[in-house]
Amino acid sequence: MAESWVNLAERIGSDLHLELSGAGGRRAVLIRALRDAVREGRLAPGTRLPPYRSLAADLGIARNTAADAYAELVAEGWLTARQGSGTRVADRAAPPARTRVPKRAPTRPAKPAPPAYDLRQGQPDAASFPRTAWLAAARRALNSAPNEAFGPGDPQGRVELRRALAGYLGRARGVRTDPERIVVCSGFAHALRLLFGSGGGGVLSGPSPSSRPSPSSRPSPSSRHRSSKGYPLAVESYGLGFHRSILATAGVRTVPLGLDEKGARVEELTDSQHIGGVLLTPAHQFPTGGPLHPARRAAVIDWARTRDALVLEDDYDGEFRYDREPVGAVQGLDPEHVVYMGSVSKSLSPGVRIGWLVLPEHLIDGVLAAKGEREAWVSVIDQLTLADLIDSGHYDRHIRRMRQRYRHRRDQLVAALATHAPHISPTGVAAGLHAVLRLPPGTEQSTAKAAAWQGLALEGLADFRHPEATMPAPDGLVVGYSTPPEHAYGAALEALCRALPPG
Amino acid sequence: MAESWVNLAERIGSDLHLELSGAGGRRAVLIRALRDAVREGRLAPGTRLPPYRSLAADLGIARNTAADAYAELVAEGWLTARQGSGTRVADRAAPPARTRVPKRAPTRPAKPAPPAYDLRQGQPDAASFPRTAWLAAARRALNSAPNEAFGPGDPQGRVELRRALAGYLGRARGVRTDPERIVVCSGFAHALRLLFGSGGGGVLSGPSPSSRPSPSSRPSPSSRHRSSKGYPLAVESYGLGFHRSILATAGVRTVPLGLDEKGARVEELTDSQHIGGVLLTPAHQFPTGGPLHPARRAAVIDWARTRDALVLEDDYDGEFRYDREPVGAVQGLDPEHVVYMGSVSKSLSPGVRIGWLVLPEHLIDGVLAAKGEREAWVSVIDQLTLADLIDSGHYDRHIRRMRQRYRHRRDQLVAALATHAPHISPTGVAAGLHAVLRLPPGTEQSTAKAAAWQGLALEGLADFRHPEATMPAPDGLVVGYSTPPEHAYGAALEALCRALPPG
C-alpha cells in the first residue's frame, strides 16, 4: 500500500483516522480499516458514513472499490444501508464493553514452571527425534503419494503404513498379522476409546452384567467374545491412572490383578466367572518392570480360549530391551484372542500421534465403525512418512541408536546408585525407559518430598496403584531416565541420590 | 546370513527344515526360524529339541547364541524348559486351526468401485495439494522447532500455529481473537465432540431439561451460558447428517430452523424459550449456498446476548468466495457469544487433520479439559508445518490459486447448464465448492437414479434434510465441482447434463 494512501485516509472525517496499511488490495485494506474503526468504537453506532462516491474521490480510488467495501461491511453486519438514510454504522456493531475481546482472565492458573530436574517416566528424549530422517522420509512419501492420498482417508489407515507395520511388528515383536488386521489410530488412549467408546459407543462396551438376567451364567458359545461385552476388565494392580480413567469414563469396571516377580497373577482371573478381558503389559510390566513369566503367558492365553475372553496387550516400550532380544508379543500365541496395541510415542515422539491396533478378525469391523467413515484423526501425511521411515530401515536404525543411548543412561543410574546409595536396588532395569527403586517401608512419601525440595520431579509407586488393589503396597520410586536432555542427566542423577533415604 | 548356514540348518532333524534367512544377527535368525516352525506346526507340541550345545555344534555357532535363542523362546512361551526333561515345544504353542491367522473373511463386503464421475460435495481437488510448499514448510518448521516440540504437547495446540491462525483468521475472515482463545483440534467433527462430548462429557452437555424442576424457566443470569447446557440446539433444516448424528450420539436434541433466500430464519429462535444455542453456516449455508443476511447476522447475535446463548459458527469454506471479498465471520460481531470453527479440510486436504475452535473466554478451560492433559490428537509436526505455511504466505497463495481454479470450474458448470439445460438454474454459486441445482418438483429421485445410471455420483437435497424439518422440501441436486481431477471434470459435467430432466 502506497504511503500517499495513508495520508489521504485522514481526510474522511476530522475525528477519524483510518489505518490504511497492511497486506491486500485497496478494497481489502479499506474494509479492514473501516471494520476496525467500528469495532473499536471510533465510528459510533448510527454514524452516517459519507456516500461511497465521496469516499472514493477523497481516497482517489475507484468508485466500485468503495462501493464494494460498503457492501461487504453491510453483508457482515457492521453497517446498514437503507433507502433514503444512506449507509450508517449498525446499532449492535459496537458490542458492550464486557464482550470486547478480553485478554485471558488472570483467574486461569499459570502453567507451573518446569522442574529443575525431570525424572518422570513417560516420554522419550525429545532432543533425539530423528528430524533429518523424518524429513527425508516425508519428502519421499509426499513425492510418491498418489493424489487420492489427499482425499478423504480410509479409517483403517493408509495401506502403505499397515503393510510396513505388519512387516515390522512381525519381525521385531513376533506379532502375527497381515495389513488387513491393523487399524491405525492416534495412540494407546485412542485405541482404548475405540475398543470401549465413551458412554458405551465402543466395540467391547455393552449392557452391564447387572442388567442381564443371570450375570454369572456363561454366555452362549455361539456369540464370539460375548463375555467381553459389558463385563469387568481385569487390569494390573499398578498401571497408568489415565488409562483407568478412560475405562471408567467408558463405564468399564476394572478389577485389579496382583503382581509378583513373575508379573501379573493371571491365575486370579479364574477366580471370577464374569471377567470379560484382561489388559496387560507383558513385555515390561508398567511400571514395576518385569516381563510376564512364560508360564503366565501360556496361562492367560489358555484362560482367554476357555472363556472366549480377550487379552489386551499394551506393548508400550517393547522395542527397548537391554539384556537380549525383545520378548515377543503375547499376540503371537493366539491372534484371535489378543488385541495388540502399540504406538510411536516412546520410539519417536508423542507429538507424532500415531498408534495401531492389531485385531482379532471378528473385531475389525466394529473398531472401524467406532472410528468413523473416514480418517478423522490421524494425519495422512504422517502415516505415509512413517511407512517410508520403516520401509527404508531408518526406523530400525533410530531404535537401535536409542536403545544404546537408553542402555547407557540405565547403566549410569545403576552405577550412581551402587556408589551413592548401595542400599537401594533398582528393579525392572532390563528393559524400557524407566526403573523402579524399591525403598525402605514408609519412606516413599518423604523421599518424594525430598526430591521436590531438590527441584527433582519424579513419581512414587503409589501414584500408579489401582484404588482397589489388595496386594502389598511396597514403597518405591518410578524413575524415568529418558526424559532429561543429555547434558542434564548427570545432575538429575545427583539430585536423585541426594533425595534418597540414608542407608 | 551366509548361504552355508542355511544348509547346516537341515541337519537339525530329518523332518525339519529351518529357514535360516532374512535380516538380523544369527541369534535373531535362529529365533525366528524356530518360532516359525512351532507356529506352523512343523515342530509339534511336546517335541523335545536337541540340547543347545548340540544345536550350536550342528550349526557351527557359539553355544551362547543357541542358548539365548532357546531362552528367548521359553520367555515368549513357545518352548518350555524343565529340569530333567530338556527343552520342549510348549503345549499351547500350536493354536487350534481356527485361530491360525486367517485372511480377512470374505463376508466383509468389498469396497464399492469408485464411480466413473464424482460430483459429490465435500472435498477439495486432491490433485492440487501443495506438496512442494508443504515440504518446504515442514523443512523450515522441523529445522527451527525447539526440542520440547517433540515432548508431550499442549492440548491447546502449538503456540506457533495459534499465533499464525489468530493473524490469518483476523485478516482473512474478520475473526477477533488472540492466540489464547484458540484450541487446535483434528477437524470440525472433533470440535463438535469437544463441545458436546459423547455421552455427556463435553463442555456444553449437561442434564437434560426434563430432569430440571422447571424446564421452561430461565436459568439464573449469574451462571454464564447456563442456558446452553443440556438444552436443545437449533440447526439449519439442511446440513450434514454426519454432524447431526454426532450431536445425537452426544445426547443433544436438535431443532431445525427454516431456510429462505436470506439464510437461516433465526427469528424462529425466539419462538422457543429453551433453545440453548444455534449451529449455523453463515458464510455459505450448507448446502443451499447463500450467505446469512446482514439483518439476520445482527438478529442472531442480539438473540444470543439476550438469552446468554451461544452461536456456533461452522466456517467450512469461507475462504472460497467468488463475487467479492469473503463475507466475514459472525464471530467478529461478538466473540463472547460465538464459537467459531474452521479447518484445512477444504483449503488443503481432509488428510491433514487440523482444525480449530475460537472460543469465548469462559469456554476455554472446559474445552481444554475435554481435550485432555496433553496433545493426544493432532500431529505436532503438522501443526508446526501449517504455522510456517501460513506465516510464509504460501497458505494464502494456495487459497488464491484454488479460488481461481474453483471459480473457473463453477463458470464451466454454469455455462454447461446454460447451453444444455437452460431450464435448470444453479443457485449458491457465489461461493464454496458446490452448487445447488433446483429441479422441477418431484424429479429429484429420478434424476439421481439417472445420474447413477451414467456412473455419476452426486447427492440430492433430500440427503441433507433434517428429519424434523417442516419447511417446504424443494427438489434439487447438490453438485460438488471440486472433487474430480482436472482432466475428468468436463466428462463429469456432460454426464450431469445427460442426467438432468428435460425442460
Side-chain angles (χ1 to χ4, degrees):
Chain A
M1 184 110 299
E3 287 242 316
S4 59
W5 236 69
V6 178
N7 296 331
L8 277 172
E10 299 176 8
R11 285 163 44 199
I12 295 178
S14 59
D15 58 343
L16 177 64
H17 292 252
L18 293 182
E19 291 184 32
L20 293 169
S21 58
R26 295 185 166 197
R27 183 175 54 186
V29 168
L30 179 58
I31 287 170
R32 193 159 59 233
L34 285 169
R35 195 196 278 133
D36 288 349
V38 175
R39 260 187 202 157
E40 293 158 15
R42 291 182 285 124
L43 271 172
T47 304
R48 183 167 177 166
L49 292 177
Y52 72 86
R53 288 180 189 82
S54 320
L55 184 71
D58 278 352
L59 297 175
I61 60 176
R63 285 183 180 177
N64 275 350
T65 305
D68 280 1
Y70 277 13
E72 164 67 13
L73 292 166
V74 167
E76 292 184 8
W78 298 103
L79 306 180
T80 59
R82 286 208 187 79
Q83 287 287 0
S85 82
T87 304
R88 292 177 183 276
V89 177
D91 279 344
R92 80 274 315 142
R98 72 172 173 87
T99 64
R100 295 288 296 273
V101 178
K103 291 288 165 198
R104 291 298 311 281
T107 53
R108 201 180 172 217
K111 279 175 192 156
Y117 313 108
D118 195 346
L119 290 176
R120 286 173 292 191
Q121 57 71 41
Q123 54 165 313
D125 178 8
S128 297
F129 183 82
R131 302 183 191 211
T132 307
W134 182 270
L135 267 174
R139 191 178 61 243
R140 288 187 300 266
L142 274 177
N143 286 337
S144 64
N147 284 335
E148 55 86 14
F150 303 100
D154 181 343
Q156 188 153 9
R158 287 298 300 183
V159 68
E160 296 91 335
L161 177 57
R162 291 185 285 113
R163 276 193 206 123
L165 283 173
Y168 171 77
L169 295 174
R171 171 162 50 79
R173 307 294 305 123
V175 170
R176 295 162 67 191
T177 186
D178 58 51
E180 294 304 299
R181 296 162 72 94
I182 297 178
V183 175
V184 174
C185 60
S186 85
F188 182 79
H190 192 199
L192 271 192
R193 289 189 175 101
L194 290 172
L195 290 174
F196 294 100
S198 68
V203 64
L204 294 182
S205 51
S208 71
S210 60
S211 68
R212 294 179 183 182
S214 171
S216 63
S217 71
R218 290 295 317 288
S220 92
S222 65
S223 68
R224 292 277 325 226
H225 293 292
R226 193 85 189 98
S227 55
S228 314
K229 293 195 118 193
Y231 283 96
L233 182 73
V235 299
E236 295 161 327
S237 281
Y238 286 80
L240 267 191
F242 173 53
H243 297 166
R244 289 193 297 266
S245 85
I246 289 175
L247 292 166
T249 302
V252 178
R253 194 164 93 78
T254 55
V255 177
L257 294 180
L259 295 168
D260 60 24
E261 70 287 349
K262 293 178 180 175
R265 294 176 50 83
V266 298
E267 51 269 42
E268 295 174 9
L269 289 169
T270 53
D271 296 349
S272 166
Q273 284 300 313
H274 63 276
I275 299 277
V278 57
L279 172 60
L280 296 174
T281 50
H284 187 225
Q285 202 283 324
F286 183 85
T288 62
L292 188 64
H293 189 273
R296 295 216 173 133
R297 293 173 152 248
V300 75
I301 291 296
D302 284 348
W303 169 82
R305 285 185 188 157
T306 308
R307 297 285 181 87
D308 219 4
L310 279 178
V311 179
L312 309 181
E313 179 168 25
D314 175 8
D315 195 30
Y316 66 104
D317 69 359
E319 302 88 350
F320 297 110
R321 192 144 194 106
Y322 310 124
D323 49 354
R324 55 171 189 266
E325 289 292 301
V327 172
V330 167
Q331 192 267 2
L333 294 176
D334 191 342
E336 282 304 316
H337 288 91
V338 181
V339 175
Y340 173 89
M341 294 171 276
S343 79
V344 299
S345 294
K346 300 286 188 293
S347 60
L348 285 173
S349 158
V352 174
R353 307 313 319 148
I354 297 184
W356 45 83
L357 301 104
V358 181
L359 292 162
E361 170 69 26
H362 66 103
L363 289 181
I364 300 173
D365 290 345
V367 167
L368 289 178
K371 200 172 167 205
E373 281 184 29
R374 300 169 166 196
E375 177 58 78
W377 301 107
V378 191
S379 160
V380 167
I381 298 171
D382 293 352
Q383 290 187 50
L384 293 170
T385 301
L386 178 59
D388 184 280
L389 200 72
I390 294 172
D391 288 339
S392 63
H394 284 94
Y395 186 71
D396 290 64
R397 233 165 287 164
H398 175 69
I399 286 174
R400 280 200 297 276
R401 192 170 63 241
M402 295 314 294
R403 196 184 288 134
Q404 287 168 5
R405 194 167 300 181
Y406 294 140
R407 183 198 284 130
H408 182 61
R409 289 198 182 190
R410 182 213 46 179
D411 293 346
Q412 289 175 279
L413 168 66
V414 172
L417 289 173
T419 306
H420 302 290
H423 56 295
I424 306 283
S425 59
T427 62
V429 294
L433 314 182
H434 70 271
V436 170
L437 313 192
R438 292 294 165 101
L439 296 176
T443 64
E444 181 178 313
Q445 277 203 313
S446 58
T447 307
K449 268 188 202 163
W453 273 104
Q454 305 268 357
L456 169 64
L458 45 60
E459 293 149 310
L461 270 180
D463 296 329
F464 300 92
R465 187 175 168 90
H466 192 291
E468 293 168 38
T470 55
M471 63 176 282
D475 285 62
L477 298 176
V478 179
V479 174
Y481 43 80
S482 59
T483 306
E486 202 69 23
H487 64 84
Y489 185 58
L493 284 186
E494 287 170 23
L496 172 66
C497 290
R498 285 196 299 272
L500 291 172
Chain B
M1 187 111 296
E3 287 242 317
S4 59
W5 235 69
V6 178
N7 297 330
L8 276 171
E10 299 176 7
R11 286 163 44 199
I12 295 179
S14 59
D15 58 344
L16 177 64
H17 292 252
L18 292 181
E19 291 184 32
L20 292 168
S21 58
R26 296 183 166 199
R27 181 177 53 187
V29 168
L30 180 57
I31 287 170
R32 193 159 58 232
L34 285 169
R35 195 196 278 133
D36 287 349
V38 175
R39 260 186 202 159
E40 293 158 15
R42 290 180 287 122
L43 272 173
T47 304
R48 185 166 176 164
L49 291 177
Y52 71 87
R53 287 180 190 81
S54 320
L55 184 70
D58 279 352
L59 297 176
I61 61 175
R63 287 183 180 178
N64 275 350
T65 305
D68 281 359
Y70 278 11
E72 164 67 13
L73 292 166
V74 168
E76 292 183 10
W78 300 102
L79 307 180
T80 58
R82 285 207 188 80
Q83 285 289 358
S85 84
T87 304
R88 292 178 182 275
V89 177
D91 279 344
R92 79 272 316 143
R98 74 173 170 87
T99 64
R100 295 288 295 275
V101 178
K103 291 288 166 198
R104 291 299 310 279
T107 55
R108 199 176 174 220
K111 282 178 190 154
Y117 314 108
D118 195 346
L119 291 176
R120 285 174 293 191
Q121 58 70 40
Q123 53 164 314
D125 177 8
S128 297
F129 183 81
R131 302 183 190 209
T132 307
W134 181 271
L135 267 174
R139 191 178 61 244
R140 288 187 299 265
L142 274 177
N143 286 338
S144 64
N147 283 335
E148 54 87 14
F150 303 99
D154 181 345
Q156 188 152 12
R158 288 297 300 182
V159 68
E160 296 91 334
L161 177 57
R162 291 185 285 114
R163 276 195 206 123
L165 283 173
Y168 171 77
L169 295 174
R171 171 162 51 80
R173 306 294 304 122
V175 170
R176 295 160 67 190
T177 186
D178 58 51
E180 294 302 300
R181 296 161 72 93
I182 297 177
V183 174
V184 175
C185 61
S186 85
F188 182 78
H190 191 199
L192 270 193
R193 289 189 174 101
L194 290 172
L195 291 173
F196 294 100
S198 69
V203 64
L204 294 182
S205 51
S208 71
S210 62
S211 68
R212 295 181 182 181
S214 172
S216 62
S217 70
R218 291 294 317 287
S220 90
S222 66
S223 67
R224 293 277 322 223
H225 293 293
R226 193 86 188 96
S227 55
S228 315
K229 293 195 117 191
Y231 284 95
L233 181 73
V235 298
E236 294 160 328
S237 281
Y238 285 80
L240 267 191
F242 173 53
H243 297 166
R244 289 193 296 265
S245 85
I246 290 176
L247 292 166
T249 303
V252 178
R253 194 164 92 77
T254 55
V255 177
L257 294 180
L259 296 169
D260 58 26
E261 71 285 349
K262 294 178 179 175
R265 294 176 48 82
V266 298
E267 52 268 41
E268 294 174 9
L269 289 169
T270 53
D271 296 349
S272 166
Q273 285 299 312
H274 62 277
I275 298 280
V278 57
L279 173 60
L280 296 173
T281 50
H284 187 225
Q285 202 284 324
F286 184 85
T288 61
L292 188 64
H293 190 274
R296 295 217 173 132
R297 295 174 151 247
V300 75
I301 292 296
D302 283 348
W303 168 81
R305 284 186 189 158
T306 307
R307 296 283 181 87
D308 220 2
L310 279 178
V311 178
L312 309 181
E313 180 169 23
D314 175 6
D315 195 32
Y316 66 102
D317 68 359
E319 303 88 348
F320 296 110
R321 192 144 195 105
Y322 310 123
D323 50 353
R324 54 171 189 267
E325 288 292 302
V327 173
V330 167
Q331 191 266 3
L333 294 176
D334 190 342
E336 282 303 315
H337 288 91
V338 180
V339 174
Y340 174 89
M341 293 170 277
S343 80
V344 299
S345 294
K346 299 286 187 295
S347 60
L348 285 173
S349 160
V352 175
R353 307 314 317 149
I354 296 185
W356 44 83
L357 302 104
V358 180
L359 292 161
E361 170 69 27
H362 67 104
L363 288 180
I364 299 172
D365 290 345
V367 167
L368 289 178
K371 199 173 167 205
E373 282 183 28
R374 299 167 166 198
E375 178 56 77
W377 302 106
V378 190
S379 160
V380 168
I381 297 172
D382 292 352
Q383 290 187 50
L384 294 170
T385 302
L386 178 59
D388 184 280
L389 200 71
I390 295 172
D391 289 341
S392 64
H394 284 93
Y395 186 71
D396 289 65
R397 233 164 287 162
H398 175 69
I399 286 176
R400 278 198 299 274
R401 192 171 63 241
M402 295 314 293
R403 196 184 289 133
Q404 285 168 7
R405 193 167 301 179
Y406 294 141
R407 183 197 286 130
H408 182 61
R409 288 199 182 190
R410 181 212 48 179
D411 293 346
Q412 288 175 279
L413 168 67
V414 172
L417 290 172
T419 305
H420 301 289
H423 56 295
I424 306 283
S425 59
T427 61
V429 293
L433 313 182
H434 70 271
V436 170
L437 313 193
R438 292 294 165 100
L439 296 175
T443 63
E444 181 178 312
Q445 277 202 310
S446 57
T447 307
K449 267 187 204 163
W453 273 104
Q454 304 270 357
L456 169 64
L458 44 62
E459 293 149 310
L461 269 181
D463 295 329
F464 300 94
R465 186 175 169 91
H466 193 291
E468 294 168 37
T470 55
M471 63 177 282
D475 283 63
L477 297 177
V478 179
V479 174
Y481 43 81
S482 60
T483 305
E486 202 71 22
H487 63 85
Y489 185 57
L493 284 186
E494 286 169 24
L496 172 66
C497 290
R498 283 195 301 272
L500 290 173

